[in-house]
Amino acid sequence: MNARTDTPENDQSNAEARQTDERDDGEFLLALGKRVREVRDRRGMTRKLVAREAGVSERHLAHLEAGEGNVSIVLLRHITRALDVSLIELLAPEAEDTVEKRLIRRFLERLPQHRLEEVVFRLMRDFGHEEAVRRKRVALIGLRGAGKSTLGNRLAKEMGVGFIELDREIERETGMPASELFALYGQAGYRRIEQRTLERVIRDNERGVISVGGGVVAQQETYDMLLSNCLTVWVKAQPEEHMARVMAQGDLRPMAGNDEAMEDLKRILEAREPLYAKADTVIDTSGETVDESFMKLRQLVMS
């Protein structure tokens, strides 16, 4: 006869494992409910309408969105774990689940979150059904002094389209310069105005060249909108050239009362570089004449 192997230590370990599984299941149900709610909101459907269309009670849908889904959902999730497959693989009709789709899905599942966002954007941007429309708008991004306005104005004339400076559009719509808007509403308020203005510019201009302030990349939703609706070009330069060009325009504010302005500029460029790099393409205007930079920009856009 085999001796019993149950011990207080084993009992405690099993209890802790069950508690971990329960917490994990609870988090899964919360995430599932959130996802259902987000999809419903994105489609502009009320809970009552979804419940009616799905043939379930509104109370059942409310419980699901609150993270209190039916226990059978959790049990099905446990089965997928045992089979080492995803819920999508188990539920998708076999005819729709091709080898290519499974390979792509497994590739995406292995990517870290920050890379996954980048891949999804590029897929949407490069293979979306509105790709031809997107490329009719060219957006130049980057810090002041890179040459966005000079090159953008010239490119617009070459293409026979309008040239739009987003900062000017914001000032025109609000009747206030950017400095006053920042003072009055703060950075968060200014970014909301910037997003609203960009939405209007994209909606009203099927074609055009848009110069966008360098800080737009700090607001993910606004930057995503720009990437999804425009052919984006990062116009960059060395920090010293950024500073020299701004001061050559008669703006001495970058150096006023700030001996560390150059170091600040370098830190900003370094921090934003991964965001600017999400643009479709990049041109470096450092050490170049306007004609040389424009020829590079023209070739990139026209190709």
Side-chain angles (χ1 to χ4, degrees):
M1 184 173 64
N2 294 331
R4 289 180 56 88
T5 58
D6 291 340
T7 65
E9 290 79 5
N10 287 339
D11 290 342
Q12 182 178 356
S13 178
N14 292 335
E16 290 175 351
R18 285 194 298 272
Q19 289 176 354
T20 300
D21 287 341
E22 289 173 0
R23 283 197 301 271
D24 191 34
D25 290 339
E27 291 174 358
F28 167 74
L29 289 174
L30 285 171
L32 176 64
K34 181 181 178 182
R35 176 64 176 159
V36 171
R37 187 168 62 253
E38 287 175 348
V39 173
R40 178 172 62 80
D41 290 342
R42 192 162 61 241
R43 282 164 170 70
M45 300 176 71
T46 63
R47 187 179 291 156
K48 184 174 184 180
L49 177 59
V50 173
R52 186 174 71 242
E53 292 291 328
V56 300
S57 69
E58 190 173 348
R59 182 181 180 185
H60 175 87
L61 182 57
H63 279 296
L64 178 62
E65 291 186 355
E68 302 168 2
N70 191 293
V71 69
S72 60
I73 297 174
V74 174
L75 295 178
L76 179 59
R77 181 171 181 249
H78 289 182
I79 293 171
T80 63
R81 282 180 175 176
L83 295 173
D84 193 24
V85 297
S86 68
L87 279 169
I88 294 176
E89 287 181 90
L90 198 61
L91 297 175
E94 188 173 331
E96 297 178 5
D97 197 26
T98 63
V99 173
E100 292 80 7
K101 288 182 179 180
R102 289 198 297 272
L103 288 173
I104 292 173
R105 186 161 57 243
R106 287 168 185 167
F107 170 75
L108 294 177
E109 287 172 350
R110 294 189 182 102
L111 287 177
Q113 184 63 31
H114 70 284
R115 294 301 308 280
L116 184 61
E117 293 174 358
E118 176 187 348
V119 170
V120 170
F121 261 115
R122 291 194 178 276
L123 286 173
M124 290 173 58
R125 187 175 61 190
D126 296 341
F127 297 98
H129 67 283
E130 296 183 346
E131 172 63 9
V133 174
R134 183 181 77 88
R135 299 183 72 87
K136 291 180 180 179
R137 305 184 196 93
V138 179
L140 306 182
I141 64 173
L143 292 180
R144 290 181 63 198
K148 299 193 304 288
S149 296
T150 301
L151 296 175
N153 196 15
R154 189 166 171 178
L155 179 64
K157 291 178 180 178
E158 178 84 8
M159 295 173 61
V161 299
F163 176 58
I164 304 162
E165 292 186 277
L166 190 62
D167 290 346
R168 296 279 181 89
E169 291 296 307
I170 292 172
E171 292 182 1
R172 187 173 63 83
E173 287 195 2
T174 61
M176 289 186 288
S179 57
E180 291 186 20
L181 290 171
F182 268 102
L184 188 61
Y185 299 109
Q187 181 168 323
Y190 181 84
R191 295 303 172 200
R192 286 193 295 270
I193 297 171
E194 182 180 54
Q195 180 180 356
R196 187 172 65 242
T197 305
L198 180 60
E199 287 177 350
R200 194 265 303 164
V201 167
I202 291 173
R203 183 177 64 249
D204 295 347
N205 297 273
E206 184 177 331
R207 302 177 72 236
V209 177
I210 309 170
S211 173
V212 184
V216 71
V217 298
Q219 181 63 33
Q220 181 176 337
E221 188 173 348
T222 307
Y223 191 33
D224 289 349
M225 176 171 55
L226 189 74
L227 293 170
S228 299
N229 290 278
C230 304
L231 176 68
T232 50
V233 181
W234 174 20
V235 184
K236 64 183 294 188
Q238 293 299 312
E240 294 78 8
E241 294 206 37
H242 276 289
M243 191 73 74
R245 290 170 184 174
V246 172
M247 295 180 67
Q249 296 169 5
D251 188 351
L252 302 180
R253 287 175 299 172
M255 299 302 293
N258 186 359
D259 296 334
E260 299 181 355
M262 182 61 70
E263 290 303 316
D264 290 340
L265 178 58
K266 290 178 179 178
R267 282 194 290 269
I268 292 173
L269 281 170
E270 184 178 357
R272 290 180 178 174
E273 184 168 355
L275 298 173
Y276 287 140
K278 290 184 177 182
D280 289 282
T281 189
V282 56
I283 64 167
D284 192 334
T285 63
S286 301
E288 294 185 341
T289 66
V290 173
D291 286 341
E292 289 171 336
S293 295
F294 176 70
M295 290 305 294
K296 287 201 306 187
L297 176 61
R298 182 181 182 278
Q299 184 176 5
L300 286 171
V301 172
M302 297 304 184
S303 63

